[in-house]
Amino acid sequence: MSDHKQPLFSCKNLRAFIRSGDDETEIVKGADLEIMAGQKHALMGPNGSGKSTLAAALMGHPAYRVEGEIFLNGEPVHGLEPHERARLGMFLGFQYPVAVPGVSVANFLRAAMGARRGQEVPVREFRQLMTEGFERLGVRKDFAARYLNDGFSGGEKKRLEILQMLLLKPTFALLDETDSGLDIDALKIVSEGVNLASAPDNAILLVTHYQRILDYVKPDVVHVFMDGRIVRTGGPELAVELEARGYDWIAGETSAAARS
Amino acid sequence: MAELALMSSEGKPVIGKEELRRLSAELGETEAGLAWRLAALTVYRNEPLPSRVAHLWRYTDPAHLLPGEPLPAAMPPRDLPAAVLPDDGPAVLLVPGRAPELNAAARASGLTVAPLLHDDGDAELLGTASPSAAGFFASLNSAAWNAGVAVYAPAGKALAEPLRLLVPAFAETTLPRVLVVAGRGAELTVVEEHFGGRDGHRVIGTTELLVGQNAHVRHVLVERWDEGVSGFLAVRARIERDGTYLGVNASLGGDRLKLETGAELVGKGASSELIGVVLGGGAQRFDHHTFHRHVAGDTRSNIDFKVALTEKSRSSYTGLIRIEEGAPRSEAFQENRNLLLSDSARADTIPELEILTDDVSCSHGATAAPIDPEQVFYLQTRGIPRGEAVRLVVRGFVETTLAQVPESVRAGLEALVTARLATLGEGV
Ligand SMILES: Nc1ncnc2c1ncn2[C@@H]1O[C@H](COP(=O)(O)OP(=O)(O)O)[C@@H](O)[C@H]1O
Ligand SMILES: [Mg+2]
């Protein structure tokens, strides 16, 4: 067994910059996270605060210059290519999954599973796993032949993200607003998927804008993210408080704290 | 014997009358056949070498496509591999200076597959879709072609299996000439495969397809020459009433290819569909011209050309839609999309519309853009390395076009595309 005190996932003083001409803009301004095995954390923050940028930077998106350190099971991953991070067990559920016309869902899923396992998935086994996943997430069978995310509704895209998480079995899953744009039925299905994936040997970071999904997925820790920083960390009650009082309340408090 | 000049003062290969007579005799052509060639020779002698000012020649120097040996060239290649002709499915081998070689399935296909200009009927039909006067290279091929075949599908004949025409570029100069005649109501798929060759080899080919009333003809042109080979290929169809034509072009190999492909819709209700998949790497140059000429009304045409380029490769695409005065209620669509996988790859695309009648429906679109980095990142986050992710995106890009190709040839094309993608250099 690994050292119990070592987080499954952590990042230290993570900063992400975008280049625009000769200038750079800092979007993520120093984020620290420590997530233990078996935990689910929620990262909540208003639109535009930099949550998606943080998620993309953690995964190694080439558009950002990133400073700071990222560890998975104690191993540094910040120098690795995105596909290497994925093979080590990191997963990003996209807020806006990208369409890849001409590449079928089935071919894509099989390629991704093969990459994660480091060897081809036999066709029969793959078919069975995919079909089970489709059923679990209420996705019609004919999606296997459809082009990846091409012409999918918002809800269909999000279900497919969760399906991928279940098939790829990441050790650390970042889910970027997987709950937004879902009707209540879809939200329940997606939440069930998240709960199903959660296990003692993995960790999940739910990035969200609303408290809604937290009625179904119980986080162990809640972080409030504003203007590129984690401004507060607490237990599940923090999410409830945010829901009742909004983000402005924290914004007021933190700027007051900064002044004093 | 006096030294013969190989090139005229303006750089045109010289074609001698006596040499043509000898070629025609060696190939066993009829009197009418020889007369046909000599008429084409007269046209050739009056055709100037294409000028770079002419817009269809803006992107290619014709000198790069000309043979380096005296014409007519009729020597069969010395190093022709023995087992070129497959034995599964009907296939025909075309080699300079020889009669077409048929496998058993081709002989049993129920089609008439014969040496060209052995039957006086050929001389009447040859040039119907691609007249000798269609241009310099058309006239050159008409006079001096050295590897010809005539394919007749009798009325009502339907052949499910594709007929393969194999055209290796093993000889220094290959001038293939293909005539396909589909009788009323016939159905036929012809796959013309250009492959092989070595540095300096040239191919100048013309393929004509005469699609009879209510006939359904598909022609697949695969160009996967080896490095060092360049050429000019023309594929021209003529479609009668209610006939349908599908022309698929996969341009993958060689150094330079200039391809002219298109159809004349001469009967009411005729329709034509052209599909193109072009994959370029290294310093390859592709120059494609498509044309659809609507002569009769109630006709329909569509073009979907996809080009993906990496390294320093280049593509130019010009597409002409012409709707004649007597062709009301015609529909014509054209799209050319280019995916640029490196900063030094370049694509030009120029649509042209000549519409001489009202009451038509036309549209054209063209795009040239780099690959979407978000697509690549998405795939990378699923464990797929960058190079493989790019190849997957490119496969998808052309797959949306190949999906329209009938089953009987699609798998083969997809395999060729995958094989070519695997050999494209970094950047992919
Ligand atoms: N690649 C980029 N180019 C330009 N601006 C960006 C880029 N990525 C993020 N931003 C900017 O960074 C800020 C944070 O965006 P984002 O991370 O999407 O926030 P959130 O996910 O919290 O809504 C926004 O102002 C956004 O416009
Ligand atoms: Mg976001």
Side-chain angles (χ1 to χ4, degrees):
Chain A
M1 284 298 289
S2 62
D3 182 351
H4 282 280
K5 299 208 182 72
Q6 177 185 289
L8 184 146
F9 175 84
S10 65
C11 63
K12 294 198 174 70
N13 196 22
L14 196 95
R15 302 166 66 179
F17 304 81
I18 51 162
R19 282 159 293 223
S20 43
D22 290 343
D23 285 350
E24 273 198 341
T25 312
E26 191 173 7
I27 309 281
V28 178
K29 303 172 178 173
D32 295 276
L33 279 168
E34 284 198 350
I35 308 180
M36 308 306 285
Q39 283 192 329
K40 295 187 288 282
H41 286 207
L43 185 89
M44 304 184 68
N47 270 335
S49 56
K51 303 184 296 297
S52 292
T53 304
L54 171 64
L58 290 175
M59 218 48 215
H61 194 300
Y64 306 102
R65 187 174 69 77
V66 178
E67 288 179 7
E69 294 173 310
I70 309 166
F71 298 91
L72 187 68
N73 288 317
E75 297 294 327
V77 298
H78 39 267
L80 301 183
E81 293 284 304
H83 77 274
E84 295 170 318
R85 300 183 200 201
R87 288 176 178 202
L88 286 176
M90 288 178 70
F91 177 87
L92 171 58
F94 282 68
Q95 182 176 4
Y96 303 109
V98 185
V100 187
V103 175
S104 73
V105 167
N107 282 346
F108 161 71
L109 290 177
R110 186 146 179 257
M113 287 177 71
R116 171 82 171 104
R117 289 187 184 185
Q119 64 182 69
E120 271 203 9
V121 189
V123 177
R124 263 167 163 249
E125 183 195 347
F126 169 70
R127 283 272 149 199
Q128 190 179 340
L129 289 171
M130 182 175 66
T131 307
E132 278 172 23
F134 279 0
E135 278 166 15
R136 177 158 281 138
L137 289 159
V139 175
R140 285 199 322 270
K141 274 207 192 80
D142 60 349
F143 268 64
R146 287 187 54 183
Y147 295 151
L148 182 58
N149 293 321
D150 195 26
F152 288 20
S153 72
E156 288 164 346
K157 287 180 188 167
K158 297 301 175 72
R159 286 175 201 228
L160 195 71
E161 295 293 294
I162 295 300
L163 171 67
Q164 291 175 53
M165 177 178 69
L166 292 175
L167 291 177
L168 297 176
K169 303 194 184 308
T171 46
F172 175 59
L174 273 154
L175 299 177
D176 189 4
E177 299 217 25
T178 305
D179 54 330
S180 58
L182 296 183
D183 62 30
I184 195 73
D185 292 335
L187 183 67
K188 278 185 189 163
I189 290 173
V190 161
S191 305
E192 277 167 22
V194 175
N195 288 326
L196 186 72
S198 179
D201 61 352
N202 66 26
I204 294 172
L205 180 63
L206 272 178
V207 176
T208 181
H209 179 71
Y210 304 104
Q211 198 261 343
R212 206 170 57 138
I213 191 171
L214 304 180
D215 291 342
Y216 302 96
V217 179
K218 293 289 167 219
D220 303 288
V221 178
V222 173
H223 308 276
V224 182
F225 193 76
M226 297 183 79
D227 190 26
R229 287 185 182 89
I230 293 172
V231 294
R232 185 178 289 223
T233 295
E237 69 289 344
L238 184 53
V240 181
E241 199 165 359
L242 273 179
E243 178 74 354
R245 301 176 66 180
Y247 288 107
D248 291 346
W249 148 70
I250 297 209
E253 272 195 9
T254 46
S255 55
R259 275 195 302 276
S260 67
Chain B
M1 215 171 96
E3 274 279 308
L4 273 177
L6 304 187
M7 295 283 178
S8 72
S9 53
E10 51 158 351
K12 268 172 66 170
V14 170
I15 304 176
K17 224 178 230 175
E18 276 321 301
E19 286 75 7
L20 263 196
R21 279 183 206 283
R22 205 177 308 140
L23 171 68
S24 182
E26 268 170 32
L27 290 172
E29 294 167 4
T30 61
E31 279 296 311
L34 174 63
W36 196 94
R37 280 187 187 268
L38 293 174
L41 181 63
T42 307
V43 176
Y44 173 73
R45 288 184 170 166
N46 292 322
E47 281 281 345
L49 199 66
S51 153
R52 298 297 302 279
V53 180
H55 91 279
L56 288 185
W57 287 93
R58 266 177 60 190
Y59 303 99
T60 304
D61 184 344
H64 289 302
L65 308 177
L66 290 173
E69 64 175 330
L71 290 179
M75 284 297 290
R78 250 161 284 142
D79 52 352
L80 185 69
V84 173
L85 203 56
D87 50 17
D88 56 331
V92 178
L93 176 65
L94 295 184
V95 165
R98 283 204 205 159
E101 191 183 327
L102 281 65
N103 69 1
R107 284 193 297 271
S109 64
L111 304 171
T112 303
V113 182
L116 194 54
L117 293 179
H118 278 216
D119 185 305
D120 285 346
D122 291 357
E124 275 162 41
L125 293 176
L126 201 64
T128 312
S130 183
S132 303
F136 174 82
F137 284 91
S139 67
L140 187 155
N141 175 282
S142 292
W145 61 262
N146 59 15
V149 67
V151 177
Y152 287 83
K157 168 76 188 170
L159 186 69
E161 267 184 303
L163 172 72
R164 293 171 69 188
L165 302 180
L166 304 175
V167 193
F170 296 147
E172 199 178 323
T173 310
T174 305
L175 306 177
R177 181 81 187 207
V178 177
L179 173 67
V180 176
V181 182
R184 185 189 278 242
E187 278 187 54
L188 177 66
T189 301
V190 175
V191 179
E192 181 180 332
E193 297 178 39
H194 293 263
F195 60 97
R198 59 167 80 149
D199 209 21
H201 287 197
R202 298 287 176 264
V203 182
I204 298 170
T206 298
T207 296
E208 291 182 75
L209 301 112
L210 307 182
V211 182
Q213 262 191 41
N214 208 31
H216 305 291
V217 174
R218 302 168 185 137
H219 180 262
V220 181
L221 184 81
V222 174
E223 183 276 286
R224 50 180 187 92
W225 288 320
D226 286 341
E227 231 178 282
V229 181
S230 294
F232 179 98
L233 301 176
V235 181
R236 300 191 173 95
R238 183 182 158 90
I239 313 165
E240 308 281 350
R241 184 176 181 127
D242 295 326
T244 66
Y245 172 68
L246 170 67
V248 181
N249 304 276
S251 301
L252 308 170
D255 281 8
R256 284 170 194 272
L257 168 68
K258 184 161 170 64
L259 172 66
E260 286 186 19
T261 181
E264 283 188 311
L265 299 99
V266 298
K268 263 180 92 160
S271 86
S272 173
E273 178 101 20
L274 290 180
I275 278 174
V277 171
V278 183
L279 298 179
Q284 282 183 299
R285 297 277 180 281
F286 292 102
D287 182 345
H288 290 89
H289 175 67
T290 64
F291 67 93
H292 269 143
R293 184 163 162 246
H294 293 248
V295 179
D298 300 297
T299 46
R300 186 182 176 282
S301 71
N302 187 46
I303 297 179
D304 179 2
F305 245 74
K306 293 266 179 72
V307 180
L309 303 172
T310 184
E311 296 170 305
K312 290 184 185 145
S313 60
R314 277 192 177 202
S315 162
S316 54
Y317 170 85
T318 53
L320 171 66
I321 295 173
R322 184 176 165 96
I323 304 199
E324 303 288 353
E325 227 169 314
R329 296 173 306 281
S330 292
E331 290 179 5
F333 309 103
Q334 175 174 306
E335 188 174 82
N336 170 226
R337 291 181 59 196
N338 297 275
L339 195 55
L340 301 172
L341 303 170
S342 81
D343 291 340
S344 23
R346 187 177 147 178
D348 295 286
T349 172
I350 301 175
E352 277 181 289
L353 266 62
E354 293 176 6
I355 297 177
L356 309 179
T357 185
D358 299 331
D359 189 18
V360 296
S361 164
C362 282
S363 77
H364 62 83
T367 58
I371 197 162
D372 178 359
E374 297 302 327
Q375 288 180 327
V376 177
F377 178 64
Y378 185 86
L379 296 172
Q380 282 181 289
T381 65
R382 286 357 181 202
I384 300 169
R386 197 190 137 74
E388 213 179 298
V390 170
R391 279 190 284 274
L392 205 53
V393 172
V394 178
R395 259 299 302 267
F397 172 73
V398 299
E399 179 58 32
T400 54
T401 291
L402 288 180
Q404 305 161 46
V405 177
E407 284 292 333
S408 64
V409 288
R410 194 199 306 164
L413 284 169
E414 286 172 347
L416 286 174
V417 165
T418 304
R420 180 64 186 116
L421 278 175
T423 59
L424 283 181
E426 267 315 299
V428 164

